Amino acid sequence: MSATLSQNMLLAVPLAPLFGAIVAGLFGKQVGRRGAHTVTILGVLVSFIISVMTLKSVALDGARFNQTIYEWMVLGGLKMEIGFLVDGLSAMMMVVVTFVSLMVHIYTIGYMEEDPGYQRFFSYISLFTFSMLMLVMSNNMLQLFFGWEAVGLVSYLLIGFWYTKPTAIFANMKAFLVNRVGDFGFILGIGLLVAYGGSLNYTETFAKAGELSQIKFNMPLWGSDWMMLTVACICLFIGAMGKSAQFPLHVWLPDSMEGPTPISALIHAATMVTAGIFMVARFSPLFELSDTALNFVLVIGSITALFMGFMGIIQNDIKRVVAYSTLSQLGYMTVALGVSAYSVAVFHLMTHAFFKALLFLGAGSVIIGMHHDQDIRNMGGLRKYMPITWITSLLGSLALIGTPFFSGFYSKDSIILAVEASKLPGAGFAMFAVVAGVFVTAFYSFRMYFLVFHGKENFRHKPFPGEHDHHDDHHDDHSHTPHESPWVVTAPLVLLAIPSVAIGFVAIQPMLFGDFFKDAIHVNHEAHGAMGALREMFHGATAMALHGLQTLPFWLALAGVVTAYVFYMVAPSIPATLAKVLRPLVVVLENKYFMDWINENILARLARGLGLAAWKVGDQGVIDGVLINGSARGIGGIAGLVRRVQTGHLYWYALVMILGVIGLMTWKLWPYIWPQFKALAGF
């Protein structure tokens, strides 16, 4: 253990938010609103400060921590433990999670000001922070799975926070069920690694990676044997597909916007949905040994990056535009994982966490200013009414589309360059997807930006709908003039805007080409040379940004911005005409590629039919009918026969005894009697 990373300090990182969650949740009435937000914010602040100190020790002093904190039980030789692994990867995640969570906690004071579930909300988001920290700090697969399921549970609670809204209840149940599909694959992957590796501990399992890669499964239907690691890694990634909303397990995330805006920023932009990306990066020593698994990751990420971006073009709900943007950017991160550029994926995870949290909280600020109207068609011209929200949202949008010198540029362009250098079979399609996605991202981002902050003030011509979310009767301000949000809302916007602009410039050298991830991420550079190619092309952050001004992605992004401006500011008749001409395509997008229809009318009915068959035939027919009730009826029949001979009369018992003695004697003497009988009968 390094002297600079003490066990007690690391324990305080997850336990401080847990303490706040318990106080706000169980004693909310006693401590009141002020007490609830004070104790939870202080808890997350303590976590953030210790996380920053930890990151400093890891980055500057080379400090590391990998120890068991508590041994829960031992089954055979399998140890089930709680332990922490702190290296560059987990230290960076700790800071991202705690910083974004702290901003969301402060922001929530303003956004949920008049909500009756104020204390409960603070308890939930603090509990979520604890769960996510347990996930990223774990040094074993058992604790990883605990954190994985805990963030899913709290996400379920937060999406359905307004439990009187039918749409919110439907959304949280959808999220829960879709994630169960992914988590089934996830636990199968963990089970395979534990069964063949004999340990839940990361370090011990990764040390056996070479041995595990020699184990083959006989797969006659595929015509060849499969590596056990290939199957395990694909199963693990199916878990990531659910948690990180990759196609086709992405369907839950857009509907999760039914929850309050702060959780959209905390869970569905910056932390929970990145858990799958973090997990694949953590398991890089295993994924590196299977090109099949990497190709699977690459293709799924490419589909998500491009086709979820298309969905953002037609959305009119401000939060759903940002939600589909999140799906697309998660696809970019997954593409980076697929080409073995794990550090680039995690780098984009970090930069995206800041600017996407900024965009979600900016959208929430707009919703407050618009008296909870979320339709961007009812906005316009908000720039002069909400200057802080406007400038921070602009900075976030510029970062999102990959403008040179902004943080998103460094991470997104690195992904494109890594894909270009990859030799995997799926890299060609991935290259098309990520480059085309640049134009799409710029178009839908600035479509939203222009419709909200510029152009005609449409809110002057339409009455506000009151409370679009949950709290219909809580606002006394019936003025139709938008207004800037209070400081507890705008301060987090400003604080998030700073890393959205600058963190990429500062961090690209140590995170991608330095020693920051040296013992956390493992790449077989001979087989997968994307990072080596990137290193050869990199000549400093400034040179990269200046060169970026001459590349195709920059001009595609610029074309997307210009197109959005022309379509929605100069000639709004063009998109209306295009929508009519391309009506079949619009119908496909409006129906979300019919994924919901397929899930609800085919897969759900098939699953329900299988469940019904299992219930009727298996449960009622075999288990109840044959094994349980059948055995009971058999015993009852035998008892009925026995009851007929149990008459209670002594003469009957005497007769049975005599007959029994005669029968026994006949059986014993039969070998002697039968030959005599045959002789007498002449047989």
Side-chain angles (χ1 to χ4, degrees), residues 162-194:
W162 289 320
Y163 51 82
T164 56
K165 282 178 66 180
T167 51
I169 298 305
F170 178 82
N172 76 345
M173 186 57 68
K174 187 175 183 179
F176 185 82
L177 291 174
V178 171
N179 273 279
R180 295 291 68 71
V181 175
D183 291 353
F184 180 66
F186 188 56
I187 200 167
L188 283 178
I190 291 175
L192 281 171
L193 294 177
V194 173

Side-chain angles (χ1 to χ4, degrees), residues 394-653:
L394 175 60
L395 293 173
S397 298
L398 289 171
L400 170 61
I401 69 170
T403 307
F405 291 102
F406 283 74
S407 62
F409 161 78
Y410 291 103
S411 53
K412 186 184 281 189
D413 263 42
S414 296
I415 292 172
I416 294 171
L417 292 171
V419 174
E420 188 178 15
S422 175
K423 299 294 189 289
L424 288 177
F429 170 64
M431 188 63 185
F432 168 75
V434 295
V435 171
V438 172
F439 174 84
V440 175
T441 302
F443 180 76
Y444 68 66
S445 298
F446 275 83
R447 169 184 177 264
M448 180 182 75
Y449 169 76
F450 289 133
L451 286 175
V452 172
F453 294 105
H454 294 273
K456 188 171 65 173
E457 298 178 358
N458 293 308
F459 53 84
R460 293 191 179 279
H461 309 290
K462 296 184 180 182
F464 285 114
E467 295 299 330
H468 182 72
D469 290 333
H470 167 74
H471 28 286
D472 291 353
D473 305 318
H474 301 311
H475 283 264
D476 298 323
D477 179 11
H478 296 289
S479 166
H480 287 194
T481 303
H483 55 85
E484 185 59 275
S485 302
W487 74 267
V488 288
V489 172
T490 55
L493 296 181
V494 173
L495 292 173
L496 282 166
I498 296 168
S500 297
V501 174
I503 195 72
F505 185 91
V506 173
I508 184 170
Q509 170 69 43
M511 289 185 70
L512 300 195
F513 311 110
D515 294 333
F516 190 74
F517 292 130
K518 64 178 179 181
D519 51 357
I521 290 172
H522 302 271
V523 180
N524 181 355
H525 291 287
E526 293 182 7
H528 308 122
M531 289 307 299
L534 277 182
R535 185 172 284 105
E536 290 177 10
M537 289 185 278
F538 185 74
H539 301 291
T542 303
M544 181 178 177
L546 292 173
H547 179 261
L549 294 169
Q550 308 166 36
T551 59
L552 178 62
F554 170 73
W555 292 105
L556 285 173
L558 183 61
V561 174
V562 172
T563 305
Y565 182 78
V566 172
F567 277 22
Y568 296 98
M569 294 291 101
V570 178
S573 59
I574 296 178
T577 304
L578 283 175
K580 292 178 182 177
V581 173
L582 303 174
R583 184 61 191 162
L585 181 59
V586 173
V587 169
V588 171
L589 292 176
E590 287 177 345
N591 286 278
K592 308 172 189 175
Y593 304 112
F594 297 98
M595 288 303 301
D596 284 342
W597 185 88
I598 292 169
N599 288 332
E600 293 166 18
N601 293 284
I602 298 178
L603 298 180
R605 288 186 179 182
L606 179 63
R608 189 178 175 86
L610 290 172
L612 191 64
W615 171 44
K616 289 289 187 183
V617 177
D619 194 16
Q620 291 189 336
V622 177
I623 297 174
D624 284 348
V626 177
L627 299 179
I628 298 175
N629 295 334
S631 60
R633 283 193 295 270
I635 292 171
I638 295 169
L641 292 174
V642 172
R643 190 164 57 245
R644 291 181 179 276
V645 299
Q646 295 291 336
T647 64
H649 298 296
L650 286 175
Y651 63 82
W652 170 251
Y653 295 148

Side-chain angles (χ1 to χ4, degrees), residues 28-47:
K29 288 185 178 179
Q30 289 83 349
V31 299
R33 289 175 169 240
R34 182 181 294 274
H37 72 233
T38 300
V39 71
T40 51
I41 289 173
L42 283 175
V44 177
L45 179 62
V46 167
S47 283

